[in-house]
Amino acid sequence: MTRTVNKKSQWTHKDLLGLEYLSKEDIELILDTADSFREILDRPIKKVPALRGKTVVNLFYEPSTRTRVSFEIAAKRLSADVINIATETSSVKKGETLNDTGKNIEALKADIIVVRHNCSGAAAMLARHVNISVVNAGDGWHEHPTQGLLDIFTLRKKTGNIKGLNVSIVGDIAHSRVARSNIWGLTKLGANVTVCAPGMLIPPGIENMGIRATEDIGEALSNADAINVLRMQFERDEKGAFPKQMEYFKKFGITDERLEKAKKDIIVMHPGPINRGIEISSKVADGANSVILEQVTNGIAVRMAVLFWLSQAKKGLSK
Amino acid sequence: MKILIKNGIVIDPANKINSAMDILIDQGKISGVEKIINIDVDTVIDAKDKIVMPGIVDMHVHLREPGREDKETIASGTKAAAKGGVTTILAMPNTLPAIDGAEMVDELKNIIGKTANVNVLIAGAITMGRLGSELCDIAALKNHGAIALTDDGSSVDDADIMLKALARAKKDKLVLICHCEDKSLSEKGVVNLGVISTRLGLRGISNESEYKRVERDIGLAEKAGASIHIAHVSCKESVEIIANAKKKGIKVTAETAPHYFSLSEEGLLDYNTNMKINPPLRSKEDVAAIKQALRQGIIDIIASDHAPHTENEKDIEFDYAEYGTIGLETELAVSVTELIHTGLLTWESLVEKMCYGPAKVLGIDKGTLGIGRDADIAIVAPEKEWEVTKECFVSRSNNSAFLGKKLKGAVEHTIYKGNIIYSMKP
């Protein structure tokens, strides 16, 4: 796990495993760096040489299009070489272990592994076993730190400052790594966070993370400066215990009618992919308050910043 | 061969002894316990400032043989026992195949006879293959040498079968040991359900999955008029249920393991798979309740639940890692550190819980230093500090939840039937 003493404005972590393990200063350093990288994306020639000669391996044990592509574009904008490895989870248990795969990638002289895995804690374990940098691109229900960072980056760009903002996260909190990363990052930067979901999807003791939890969508929206709408992951519903899709939309769906009662300039975010008509109406998703596509673009800048700082990390940093 | 243990502080609650005494061992038996013994012997052990106690009777140990000799064998497990001051072990029957018939008991007895370094007793399964659907031939298990019954690792879900098992165990005078877990409540859980499972994004195991089954099994024991032993108690509600049952006069005994009174779920925050155990390490509140239950005598016994696993099965993704920690070589030191040095228990009550108590439950003539008894003895340096490292284990596995911990209290010598089977390296 990344535990290092952090001097102001200096990156000292070998890995990015979660926002839980970063300081406020670490997060701000990435956001500031992402700010300067963001402009590159609008240039006619979208490439800088910062990571020339470095190799980034995307190691994905779960299907993912947007995160994988976003990391790939981020690495390429920095002139790194990118290799994509997609593996079925089932073969992990039968064949090579994650640790062995990681060590092989290290032996191939890659510099950074970006790993997506269905098991919580998998990225941290991999990071303990290799000396090269590991970026957690989502581990189970645990964390998805670059998503958290890009959500916060987008919010900061829109509002100027995170401190004091009221941010509500709505949806399947229990099974969401996006929720956890947002909670850690936002609370460290001084936002007031509320999570809102049907009771069964609010995990026990979540208030201990320094936030509020409610089952009342009206309450979650009433004073919010921003809301982050999570995708309902019906595929997680092994016991048929979740509310049905239409029922969920009726009770928790983000619609025009609901937004009318919220702050006029409320910012609507979604980590994607969106289920139109289930957690969010098309009108809201495509409406004036939505920043969903900006999030996607900002994601590249944030991931560029992460890859940049990890590639700067001195060799031999404590893991 | 005669051995004289001089000047030690002898702790033997069965004979109400807690004072500086000399102990004479002759022909494998204890032949004298007196203030001062001066006699010519083959070996003298100076035990000044040391605790001299009966060898530990650990009634919850997974030795893995036959079937998983890569994790542990009778030979390696009993060598680990010797290092931990343990001289009697009850071997759990969840081997491959399970100890569910006379032939398996015979095979196990044969291996024990050839390779065991300490006394190994046999627990048979309650149901065939430990699958919970068909009772074993319990009389045959007993006749061939099993002294207890358990499906440990699994609970018997079918209440009717459990009731029949209790009745049979009573008739055949076997100890029935219950692994209490309602799988329909704990299904797929890997850590305690609560703040920590929420932070880690891991599936939780509720207290309910344990105590509901404790409640059911005690109820069935009452109905059958049988005695029952509850294994590895981990949560506060179970403690309450057991306390009430004892008050009602139901014949229930209960055991916990050192990790349940020394470690909490917070140790898991860095996904340490050596702390992935079933039942899981619980909340601090539960840990406190287990400690109080030990002090108040609601929990009668400390046993290790020694559960060896290979590194290949532990150093992997948390969800995929096996459950369990080894414990034979640390159980006394953890107990001394957490219970004696904190003032929670006296030495007499600790010896009661680790030696004499389990011997009584199992109905064996062990756990005391009475004249004429087997000379099974542990000599312990109560203040000696040591650090738990992978290298220190003689067990075939090193999956200890206590790795990196500093403990106070170390076994200096272990004597089994009058032979010194372990001495700490100077």
Side-chain angles (χ1 to χ4, degrees), chain A residues 20 89 98-99 117-121 125 128-129 141-142 180 184 203-204 208 238-239, chain B residues 184 187-188 193-195 198-203 269-271 315-320:
Chain A
E20 176 182 357
T89 309
L98 173 57
N99 291 333
H117 201 286
N118 55 302
C119 290
S120 298
M125 180 190 73
R128 277 198 299 271
H129 283 83
W141 308 341
H142 176 228
R180 286 172 181 79
W184 287 116
N208 286 300
E238 290 158 1
K239 290 183 175 171
Chain B
S184 68
E187 195 189 13
K188 291 185 185 168
L193 178 73
V195 189
T198 290
R199 270 177 71 172
L200 293 172
L202 292 171
R203 288 174 201 267
L269 277 174
D270 61 355
Y271 295 95
D315 198 10
I316 52 175
E317 291 86 334
F318 198 92
D319 282 329
Y320 303 153

mmCIF file of all heavy atoms in Angstrom, chain A residues 20 89 98-99 117-121 125 128-129 141-142 180 184 203-204 208 238-239, chain B residues 184 187-188 193-195 198-203 269-271 315-320:
data_model
loop_
_atom_site.group_PDB
_atom_site.id
_atom_site.type_symbol
_atom_site.label_atom_id
_atom_site.label_comp_id
_atom_site.label_asym_id
_atom_site.label_seq_id
_atom_site.Cartn_x
_atom_site.Cartn_y
_atom_site.Cartn_z
ATOM 1 N N GLU A 20 -8.109 6.997 -0.993
ATOM 2 C CA GLU A 20 -7.951 6.853 0.455
ATOM 3 C C GLU A 20 -6.502 7.096 0.869
ATOM 4 O O GLU A 20 -6.236 7.626 1.934
ATOM 5 C CB GLU A 20 -8.380 5.437 0.889
ATOM 6 C CG GLU A 20 -8.148 5.190 2.377
ATOM 7 C CD GLU A 20 -8.512 3.800 2.849
ATOM 8 O OE1 GLU A 20 -9.011 2.994 2.052
ATOM 9 O OE2 GLU A 20 -8.286 3.525 4.037
ATOM 10 N N THR A 89 -11.445 -13.339 -16.461
ATOM 11 C CA THR A 89 -11.190 -13.616 -15.052
ATOM 12 C C THR A 89 -11.054 -15.102 -14.786
ATOM 13 O O THR A 89 -10.208 -15.537 -14.034
ATOM 14 C CB THR A 89 -12.339 -13.074 -14.196
ATOM 15 O OG1 THR A 89 -12.541 -11.733 -14.573
ATOM 16 C CG2 THR A 89 -12.005 -13.159 -12.733
ATOM 17 N N LEU A 98 -2.261 -13.352 -10.950
ATOM 18 C CA LEU A 98 -2.088 -11.922 -11.200
ATOM 19 C C LEU A 98 -0.662 -11.492 -10.867
ATOM 20 O O LEU A 98 -0.040 -10.731 -11.613
ATOM 21 C CB LEU A 98 -3.116 -11.140 -10.366
ATOM 22 C CG LEU A 98 -2.985 -9.621 -10.354
ATOM 23 C CD1 LEU A 98 -3.041 -9.035 -11.746
ATOM 24 C CD2 LEU A 98 -4.093 -9.013 -9.489
ATOM 25 N N ASN A 99 -0.149 -11.989 -9.734
ATOM 26 C CA ASN A 99 1.208 -11.602 -9.336
ATOM 27 C C ASN A 99 2.236 -12.048 -10.368
ATOM 28 O O ASN A 99 3.169 -11.307 -10.694
ATOM 29 C CB ASN A 99 1.554 -12.206 -7.976
ATOM 30 C CG ASN A 99 0.745 -11.561 -6.865
ATOM 31 O OD1 ASN A 99 0.330 -10.410 -6.988
ATOM 32 N ND2 ASN A 99 0.525 -12.301 -5.793
ATOM 33 N N HIS A 117 -9.554 -5.007 -12.222
ATOM 34 C CA HIS A 117 -9.768 -6.372 -11.720
ATOM 35 C C HIS A 117 -11.082 -6.440 -10.966
ATOM 36 O O HIS A 117 -11.492 -5.481 -10.330
ATOM 37 C CB HIS A 117 -8.599 -6.764 -10.800
ATOM 38 C CG HIS A 117 -8.435 -8.243 -10.619
ATOM 39 N ND1 HIS A 117 -9.277 -9.001 -9.841
ATOM 40 C CD2 HIS A 117 -7.515 -9.109 -11.120
ATOM 41 C CE1 HIS A 117 -8.889 -10.269 -9.880
ATOM 42 N NE2 HIS A 117 -7.816 -10.366 -10.647
ATOM 43 N N ASN A 118 -11.710 -7.601 -11.020
ATOM 44 C CA ASN A 118 -13.006 -7.766 -10.353
ATOM 45 C C ASN A 118 -12.888 -7.946 -8.845
ATOM 46 O O ASN A 118 -13.886 -7.900 -8.133
ATOM 47 C CB ASN A 118 -13.755 -8.960 -10.957
ATOM 48 C CG ASN A 118 -12.925 -10.223 -10.906
ATOM 49 O OD1 ASN A 118 -11.816 -10.263 -11.444
ATOM 50 N ND2 ASN A 118 -13.429 -11.246 -10.243
ATOM 51 N N CYS A 119 -11.678 -8.183 -8.333
ATOM 52 C CA CYS A 119 -11.504 -8.413 -6.889
ATOM 53 C C CYS A 119 -11.018 -7.143 -6.191
ATOM 54 O O CYS A 119 -9.989 -6.582 -6.560
ATOM 55 C CB CYS A 119 -10.487 -9.512 -6.624
ATOM 56 S SG CYS A 119 -11.056 -11.140 -7.095
ATOM 57 N N SER A 120 -11.734 -6.745 -5.132
ATOM 58 C CA SER A 120 -11.270 -5.631 -4.308
ATOM 59 C C SER A 120 -9.909 -5.976 -3.727
ATOM 60 O O SER A 120 -9.694 -7.082 -3.248
ATOM 61 C CB SER A 120 -12.263 -5.381 -3.171
ATOM 62 O OG SER A 120 -13.523 -5.017 -3.685
ATOM 63 N N GLY A 121 -8.991 -5.016 -3.785
ATOM 64 C CA GLY A 121 -7.653 -5.232 -3.213
ATOM 65 C C GLY A 121 -6.653 -5.800 -4.197
ATOM 66 O O GLY A 121 -5.476 -5.935 -3.871
ATOM 67 N N MET A 125 -2.461 -5.637 -4.069
ATOM 68 C CA MET A 125 -1.651 -6.853 -4.009
ATOM 69 C C MET A 125 -0.598 -6.852 -5.116
ATOM 70 O O MET A 125 0.581 -7.114 -4.860
ATOM 71 C CB MET A 125 -2.548 -8.084 -4.148
ATOM 72 C CG MET A 125 -1.758 -9.380 -4.098
ATOM 73 S SD MET A 125 -2.761 -10.801 -4.539
ATOM 74 C CE MET A 125 -2.924 -10.544 -6.293
ATOM 75 N N ARG A 128 2.320 -4.642 -4.392
ATOM 76 C CA ARG A 128 3.282 -5.178 -3.421
ATOM 77 C C ARG A 128 4.267 -6.133 -4.080
ATOM 78 O O ARG A 128 5.337 -6.376 -3.552
ATOM 79 C CB ARG A 128 2.541 -5.936 -2.307
ATOM 80 C CG ARG A 128 1.990 -5.056 -1.198
ATOM 81 C CD ARG A 128 1.673 -5.885 0.032
ATOM 82 N NE ARG A 128 0.663 -6.909 -0.198
ATOM 83 C CZ ARG A 128 -0.641 -6.713 -0.052
ATOM 84 N NH1 ARG A 128 -1.089 -5.530 0.328
ATOM 85 N NH2 ARG A 128 -1.500 -7.683 -0.267
ATOM 86 N N HIS A 129 3.870 -6.713 -5.210
ATOM 87 C CA HIS A 129 4.691 -7.757 -5.817
ATOM 88 C C HIS A 129 5.577 -7.284 -6.956
ATOM 89 O O HIS A 129 6.406 -8.039 -7.439
ATOM 90 C CB HIS A 129 3.806 -8.908 -6.309
ATOM 91 C CG HIS A 129 3.339 -9.792 -5.189
ATOM 92 N ND1 HIS A 129 2.253 -9.483 -4.416
ATOM 93 C CD2 HIS A 129 3.844 -10.944 -4.689
ATOM 94 C CE1 HIS A 129 2.089 -10.429 -3.504
ATOM 95 N NE2 HIS A 129 3.034 -11.317 -3.643
ATOM 96 N N TRP A 141 -15.339 -3.654 -5.780
ATOM 97 C CA TRP A 141 -16.221 -2.580 -5.311
ATOM 98 C C TRP A 141 -15.417 -1.522 -4.575
ATOM 99 O O TRP A 141 -15.974 -0.635 -3.954
ATOM 100 C CB TRP A 141 -17.270 -3.127 -4.320
ATOM 101 C CG TRP A 141 -18.048 -4.307 -4.775
ATOM 102 C CD1 TRP A 141 -18.215 -4.750 -6.064
ATOM 103 C CD2 TRP A 141 -18.783 -5.223 -3.941
ATOM 104 N NE1 TRP A 141 -19.003 -5.866 -6.074
ATOM 105 C CE2 TRP A 141 -19.373 -6.182 -4.794
ATOM 106 C CE3 TRP A 141 -19.021 -5.304 -2.568
ATOM 107 C CZ2 TRP A 141 -20.161 -7.231 -4.302
ATOM 108 C CZ3 TRP A 141 -19.805 -6.344 -2.080
ATOM 109 C CH2 TRP A 141 -20.371 -7.300 -2.947
ATOM 110 N N HIS A 142 -14.085 -1.655 -4.613
ATOM 111 C CA HIS A 142 -13.251 -0.879 -3.691
ATOM 112 C C HIS A 142 -13.008 0.558 -4.153
ATOM 113 O O HIS A 142 -13.577 1.485 -3.590
ATOM 114 C CB HIS A 142 -11.927 -1.630 -3.485
ATOM 115 C CG HIS A 142 -10.938 -0.908 -2.653
ATOM 116 N ND1 HIS A 142 -9.621 -0.760 -3.018
ATOM 117 C CD2 HIS A 142 -11.070 -0.264 -1.462
ATOM 118 C CE1 HIS A 142 -8.982 -0.081 -2.076
ATOM 119 N NE2 HIS A 142 -9.832 0.229 -1.127
ATOM 120 N N ARG A 180 -16.882 5.047 -3.707
ATOM 121 C CA ARG A 180 -15.857 5.097 -2.660
ATOM 122 C C ARG A 180 -14.740 6.079 -3.004
ATOM 123 O O ARG A 180 -14.284 6.840 -2.160
ATOM 124 C CB ARG A 180 -15.306 3.697 -2.391
ATOM 125 C CG ARG A 180 -16.301 2.825 -1.595
ATOM 126 C CD ARG A 180 -15.831 1.384 -1.512
ATOM 127 N NE ARG A 180 -16.778 0.546 -0.769
ATOM 128 C CZ ARG A 180 -17.907 0.050 -1.257
ATOM 129 N NH1 ARG A 180 -18.257 0.329 -2.502
ATOM 130 N NH2 ARG A 180 -18.697 -0.700 -0.513
ATOM 131 N N TRP A 184 -13.800 9.442 -0.732
ATOM 132 C CA TRP A 184 -12.480 9.761 -0.159
ATOM 133 C C TRP A 184 -11.963 11.092 -0.695
ATOM 134 O O TRP A 184 -11.515 11.948 0.076
ATOM 135 C CB TRP A 184 -11.467 8.662 -0.490
ATOM 136 C CG TRP A 184 -11.640 7.390 0.271
ATOM 137 C CD1 TRP A 184 -11.955 6.161 -0.241
ATOM 138 C CD2 TRP A 184 -11.488 7.191 1.687
ATOM 139 N NE1 TRP A 184 -12.025 5.223 0.765
ATOM 140 C CE2 TRP A 184 -11.734 5.823 1.951
ATOM 141 C CE3 TRP A 184 -11.171 8.039 2.758
ATOM 142 C CZ2 TRP A 184 -11.672 5.278 3.237
ATOM 143 C CZ3 TRP A 184 -11.116 7.492 4.032
ATOM 144 C CH2 TRP A 184 -11.362 6.130 4.266
ATOM 145 N N PRO A 203 -24.237 0.502 2.074
ATOM 146 C CA PRO A 203 -23.519 -0.481 2.891
ATOM 147 C C PRO A 203 -23.405 -0.031 4.346
ATOM 148 O O PRO A 203 -23.407 1.171 4.614
ATOM 149 C CB PRO A 203 -22.147 -0.567 2.221
ATOM 150 C CG PRO A 203 -21.972 0.741 1.539
ATOM 151 C CD PRO A 203 -23.344 1.213 1.156
ATOM 152 N N PRO A 204 -23.311 -0.984 5.285
ATOM 153 C CA PRO A 204 -23.307 -0.625 6.711
ATOM 154 C C PRO A 204 -22.108 0.229 7.088
ATOM 155 O O PRO A 204 -20.997 0.006 6.617
ATOM 156 C CB PRO A 204 -23.251 -1.987 7.417
ATOM 157 C CG PRO A 204 -22.727 -2.949 6.399
ATOM 158 C CD PRO A 204 -23.198 -2.437 5.069
ATOM 159 N N ASN A 208 -19.407 6.400 8.597
ATOM 160 C CA ASN A 208 -18.084 6.513 9.220
ATOM 161 C C ASN A 208 -17.022 7.039 8.265
ATOM 162 O O ASN A 208 -15.907 7.339 8.679
ATOM 163 C CB ASN A 208 -17.638 5.153 9.764
ATOM 164 C CG ASN A 208 -18.400 4.796 11.013
ATOM 165 O OD1 ASN A 208 -18.347 5.517 11.996
ATOM 166 N ND2 ASN A 208 -19.143 3.714 10.969
ATOM 167 N N GLU A 238 -27.844 -10.754 -7.517
ATOM 168 C CA GLU A 238 -27.894 -12.216 -7.585
ATOM 169 C C GLU A 238 -29.156 -12.777 -6.941
ATOM 170 O O GLU A 238 -29.610 -13.849 -7.279
ATOM 171 C CB GLU A 238 -26.664 -12.804 -6.883
ATOM 172 C CG GLU A 238 -25.380 -12.544 -7.650
ATOM 173 C CD GLU A 238 -24.142 -12.629 -6.762
ATOM 174 O OE1 GLU A 238 -24.281 -12.907 -5.558
ATOM 175 O OE2 GLU A 238 -23.046 -12.398 -7.296
ATOM 176 N N LYS A 239 -29.678 -12.075 -5.976
ATOM 177 C CA LYS A 239 -30.800 -12.632 -5.225
ATOM 178 C C LYS A 239 -32.144 -12.025 -5.610
ATOM 179 O O LYS A 239 -33.157 -12.271 -4.959
ATOM 180 C CB LYS A 239 -30.570 -12.442 -3.722
ATOM 181 C CG LYS A 239 -29.449 -13.315 -3.197
ATOM 182 C CD LYS A 239 -29.293 -13.161 -1.698
ATOM 183 C CE LYS A 239 -28.232 -14.137 -1.180
ATOM 184 N NZ LYS A 239 -27.902 -13.892 0.220
ATOM 185 N N SER B 184 -26.584 -19.545 4.573
ATOM 186 C CA SER B 184 -27.529 -18.728 3.812
ATOM 187 C C SER B 184 -27.392 -17.258 4.219
ATOM 188 O O SER B 184 -27.804 -16.357 3.499
ATOM 189 C CB SER B 184 -28.964 -19.214 4.018
ATOM 190 O OG SER B 184 -29.383 -18.962 5.348
ATOM 191 N N GLU B 187 -23.075 -16.386 3.115
ATOM 192 C CA GLU B 187 -22.697 -16.800 1.773
ATOM 193 C C GLU B 187 -21.753 -15.820 1.070
ATOM 194 O O GLU B 187 -22.058 -14.630 0.945
ATOM 195 C CB GLU B 187 -23.969 -16.932 0.937
ATOM 196 C CG GLU B 187 -23.763 -17.688 -0.340
ATOM 197 C CD GLU B 187 -24.999 -17.592 -1.229
ATOM 198 O OE1 GLU B 187 -25.875 -16.748 -0.958
ATOM 199 O OE2 GLU B 187 -25.069 -18.359 -2.179
ATOM 200 N N LYS B 188 -20.622 -16.331 0.648
ATOM 201 C CA LYS B 188 -19.637 -15.571 -0.132
ATOM 202 C C LYS B 188 -18.948 -14.460 0.654
ATOM 203 O O LYS B 188 -18.121 -13.740 0.101
ATOM 204 C CB LYS B 188 -20.257 -14.974 -1.403
ATOM 205 C CG LYS B 188 -20.628 -16.026 -2.425
ATOM 206 C CD LYS B 188 -21.109 -15.356 -3.694
ATOM 207 C CE LYS B 188 -21.604 -16.374 -4.711
ATOM 208 N NZ LYS B 188 -22.316 -15.718 -5.802
ATOM 209 N N LEU B 193 -18.924 -8.210 8.421
ATOM 210 C CA LEU B 193 -19.823 -7.213 7.830
ATOM 211 C C LEU B 193 -19.840 -5.956 8.692
ATOM 212 O O LEU B 193 -20.094 -6.029 9.893
ATOM 213 C CB LEU B 193 -21.243 -7.785 7.741
ATOM 214 C CG LEU B 193 -22.311 -6.844 7.178
ATOM 215 C CD1 LEU B 193 -22.144 -6.667 5.683
ATOM 216 C CD2 LEU B 193 -23.705 -7.351 7.499
ATOM 217 N N GLY B 194 -19.543 -4.820 8.099
ATOM 218 C CA GLY B 194 -19.570 -3.570 8.862
ATOM 219 C C GLY B 194 -18.729 -2.510 8.189
ATOM 220 O O GLY B 194 -18.523 -2.542 6.973
ATOM 221 N N VAL B 195 -18.255 -1.581 8.992
ATOM 222 C CA VAL B 195 -17.507 -0.438 8.462
ATOM 223 C C VAL B 195 -16.341 -0.893 7.580
ATOM 224 O O VAL B 195 -16.085 -0.309 6.527
ATOM 225 C CB VAL B 195 -16.927 0.397 9.626
ATOM 226 C CG1 VAL B 195 -16.337 1.686 9.098
ATOM 227 C CG2 VAL B 195 -17.979 0.666 10.666
ATOM 228 N N THR B 198 -17.319 -2.368 4.283
ATOM 229 C CA THR B 198 -17.784 -1.254 3.452
ATOM 230 C C THR B 198 -16.599 -0.499 2.857
ATOM 231 O O THR B 198 -16.563 -0.223 1.664
ATOM 232 C CB THR B 198 -18.668 -0.307 4.291
ATOM 233 O OG1 THR B 198 -19.892 -0.988 4.572
ATOM 234 C CG2 THR B 198 -18.975 0.988 3.559
ATOM 235 N N ARG B 199 -15.613 -0.182 3.691
ATOM 236 C CA ARG B 199 -14.442 0.547 3.186
ATOM 237 C C ARG B 199 -13.677 -0.267 2.158
ATOM 238 O O ARG B 199 -13.209 0.264 1.156
ATOM 239 C CB ARG B 199 -13.518 0.908 4.347
ATOM 240 C CG ARG B 199 -13.857 2.241 4.950
ATOM 241 C CD ARG B 199 -12.985 2.539 6.137
ATOM 242 N NE ARG B 199 -11.598 2.820 5.758
ATOM 243 C CZ ARG B 199 -10.686 3.254 6.626
ATOM 244 N NH1 ARG B 199 -11.019 3.456 7.889
ATOM 245 N NH2 ARG B 199 -9.455 3.490 6.227
ATOM 246 N N LEU B 200 -13.512 -1.553 2.429
ATOM 247 C CA LEU B 200 -12.702 -2.397 1.545
ATOM 248 C C LEU B 200 -13.457 -2.826 0.296
ATOM 249 O O LEU B 200 -12.860 -3.315 -0.657
ATOM 250 C CB LEU B 200 -12.233 -3.638 2.300
ATOM 251 C CG LEU B 200 -11.237 -3.399 3.446
ATOM 252 C CD1 LEU B 200 -11.005 -4.683 4.217
ATOM 253 C CD2 LEU B 200 -9.917 -2.860 2.907
ATOM 254 N N GLY B 201 -14.780 -2.685 0.310
ATOM 255 C CA GLY B 201 -15.563 -3.158 -0.825
ATOM 256 C C GLY B 201 -15.562 -4.670 -0.914
ATOM 257 O O GLY B 201 -15.484 -5.236 -1.999
ATOM 258 N N LEU B 202 -15.617 -5.330 0.247
ATOM 259 C CA LEU B 202 -15.641 -6.795 0.273
ATOM 260 C C LEU B 202 -16.974 -7.268 0.845
ATOM 261 O O LEU B 202 -17.621 -6.553 1.618
ATOM 262 C CB LEU B 202 -14.496 -7.324 1.142
ATOM 263 C CG LEU B 202 -13.074 -7.101 0.613
ATOM 264 C CD1 LEU B 202 -12.052 -7.488 1.681
ATOM 265 C CD2 LEU B 202 -12.816 -7.887 -0.672
ATOM 266 N N ARG B 203 -17.370 -8.479 0.469
ATOM 267 C CA ARG B 203 -18.615 -9.029 0.996
ATOM 268 C C ARG B 203 -18.465 -9.354 2.482
ATOM 269 O O ARG B 203 -17.469 -9.940 2.895
ATOM 270 C CB ARG B 203 -18.984 -10.316 0.267
ATOM 271 C CG ARG B 203 -19.464 -10.097 -1.142
ATOM 272 C CD ARG B 203 -19.653 -11.444 -1.823
ATOM 273 N NE ARG B 203 -19.630 -11.281 -3.264
ATOM 274 C CZ ARG B 203 -20.727 -11.098 -4.007
ATOM 275 N NH1 ARG B 203 -21.910 -11.075 -3.436
ATOM 276 N NH2 ARG B 203 -20.631 -10.944 -5.305
ATOM 277 N N LEU B 269 -7.366 -3.823 6.925
ATOM 278 C CA LEU B 269 -7.456 -2.647 6.056
ATOM 279 C C LEU B 269 -6.461 -2.654 4.899
ATOM 280 O O LEU B 269 -6.659 -1.962 3.915
ATOM 281 C CB LEU B 269 -7.323 -1.352 6.871
ATOM 282 C CG LEU B 269 -8.643 -0.913 7.513
ATOM 283 C CD1 LEU B 269 -8.440 0.281 8.426
ATOM 284 C CD2 LEU B 269 -9.697 -0.587 6.448
ATOM 285 N N ASP B 270 -5.374 -3.440 5.014
ATOM 286 C CA ASP B 270 -4.501 -3.543 3.837
ATOM 287 C C ASP B 270 -4.666 -4.899 3.143
ATOM 288 O O ASP B 270 -3.755 -5.361 2.469
ATOM 289 C CB ASP B 270 -3.044 -3.244 4.193
ATOM 290 C CG ASP B 270 -2.491 -4.218 5.207
ATOM 291 O OD1 ASP B 270 -3.273 -5.062 5.697
ATOM 292 O OD2 ASP B 270 -1.285 -4.163 5.506
ATOM 293 N N TYR B 271 -5.845 -5.496 3.276
ATOM 294 C CA TYR B 271 -6.173 -6.741 2.563
ATOM 295 C C TYR B 271 -5.186 -7.866 2.886
ATOM 296 O O TYR B 271 -4.774 -8.615 2.003
ATOM 297 C CB TYR B 271 -6.190 -6.514 1.041
ATOM 298 C CG TYR B 271 -7.264 -5.573 0.545
ATOM 299 C CD1 TYR B 271 -7.008 -4.230 0.340
ATOM 300 C CD2 TYR B 271 -8.542 -6.047 0.266
ATOM 301 C CE1 TYR B 271 -7.980 -3.373 -0.116
ATOM 302 C CE2 TYR B 271 -9.522 -5.191 -0.201
ATOM 303 C CZ TYR B 271 -9.244 -3.864 -0.395
ATOM 304 O OH TYR B 271 -10.225 -3.029 -0.863
ATOM 305 N N ASP B 315 -1.360 -16.007 -0.906
ATOM 306 C CA ASP B 315 -0.804 -14.789 -1.488
ATOM 307 C C ASP B 315 -1.436 -14.515 -2.847
ATOM 308 O O ASP B 315 -0.775 -14.427 -3.873
ATOM 309 C CB ASP B 315 0.716 -14.917 -1.607
ATOM 310 C CG ASP B 315 1.374 -13.551 -1.792
ATOM 311 O OD1 ASP B 315 0.665 -12.536 -1.635
ATOM 312 O OD2 ASP B 315 2.572 -13.506 -2.109
ATOM 313 N N ILE B 316 -2.760 -14.415 -2.844
ATOM 314 C CA ILE B 316 -3.541 -14.182 -4.062
ATOM 315 C C ILE B 316 -4.645 -13.169 -3.754
ATOM 316 O O ILE B 316 -4.693 -12.641 -2.643
ATOM 317 C CB ILE B 316 -4.152 -15.508 -4.603
ATOM 318 C CG1 ILE B 316 -4.929 -16.235 -3.501
ATOM 319 C CG2 ILE B 316 -3.069 -16.407 -5.172
ATOM 320 C CD1 ILE B 316 -5.650 -17.486 -3.987
ATOM 321 N N GLU B 317 -5.498 -12.907 -4.721
ATOM 322 C CA GLU B 317 -6.587 -11.971 -4.520
ATOM 323 C C GLU B 317 -7.368 -12.341 -3.254
ATOM 324 O O GLU B 317 -7.613 -13.518 -2.990
ATOM 325 C CB GLU B 317 -7.547 -11.997 -5.722
ATOM 326 C CG GLU B 317 -6.978 -11.427 -7.009
ATOM 327 C CD GLU B 317 -6.207 -12.446 -7.828
ATOM 328 O OE1 GLU B 317 -5.687 -13.428 -7.248
ATOM 329 O OE2 GLU B 317 -6.113 -12.270 -9.052
ATOM 330 N N PHE B 318 -7.777 -11.334 -2.500
ATOM 331 C CA PHE B 318 -8.429 -11.570 -1.220
ATOM 332 C C PHE B 318 -9.637 -12.498 -1.358
ATOM 333 O O PHE B 318 -9.832 -13.416 -0.569
ATOM 334 C CB PHE B 318 -8.851 -10.234 -0.588
ATOM 335 C CG PHE B 318 -9.128 -10.363 0.884
ATOM 336 C CD1 PHE B 318 -8.121 -10.136 1.806
ATOM 337 C CD2 PHE B 318 -10.388 -10.739 1.338
ATOM 338 C CE1 PHE B 318 -8.363 -10.287 3.162
ATOM 339 C CE2 PHE B 318 -10.636 -10.885 2.691
ATOM 340 C CZ PHE B 318 -9.616 -10.656 3.607
ATOM 341 N N ASP B 319 -10.452 -12.262 -2.387
ATOM 342 C CA ASP B 319 -11.654 -13.080 -2.573
ATOM 343 C C ASP B 319 -11.318 -14.554 -2.789
ATOM 344 O O ASP B 319 -12.105 -15.428 -2.452
ATOM 345 C CB ASP B 319 -12.465 -12.586 -3.781
ATOM 346 C CG ASP B 319 -13.270 -11.341 -3.448
ATOM 347 O OD1 ASP B 319 -13.682 -11.191 -2.289
ATOM 348 O OD2 ASP B 319 -13.489 -10.516 -4.359
ATOM 349 N N TYR B 320 -10.171 -14.815 -3.407
ATOM 350 C CA TYR B 320 -9.827 -16.196 -3.750
ATOM 351 C C TYR B 320 -9.029 -16.896 -2.650
ATOM 352 O O TYR B 320 -8.902 -18.121 -2.667
ATOM 353 C CB TYR B 320 -9.000 -16.237 -5.046
ATOM 354 C CG TYR B 320 -9.660 -15.606 -6.250
ATOM 355 C CD1 TYR B 320 -8.892 -15.075 -7.286
ATOM 356 C CD2 TYR B 320 -11.052 -15.542 -6.363
ATOM 357 C CE1 TYR B 320 -9.488 -14.493 -8.397
ATOM 358 C CE2 TYR B 320 -11.648 -14.959 -7.472
ATOM 359 C CZ TYR B 320 -10.869 -14.434 -8.483
ATOM 360 O OH TYR B 320 -11.454 -13.862 -9.572
#
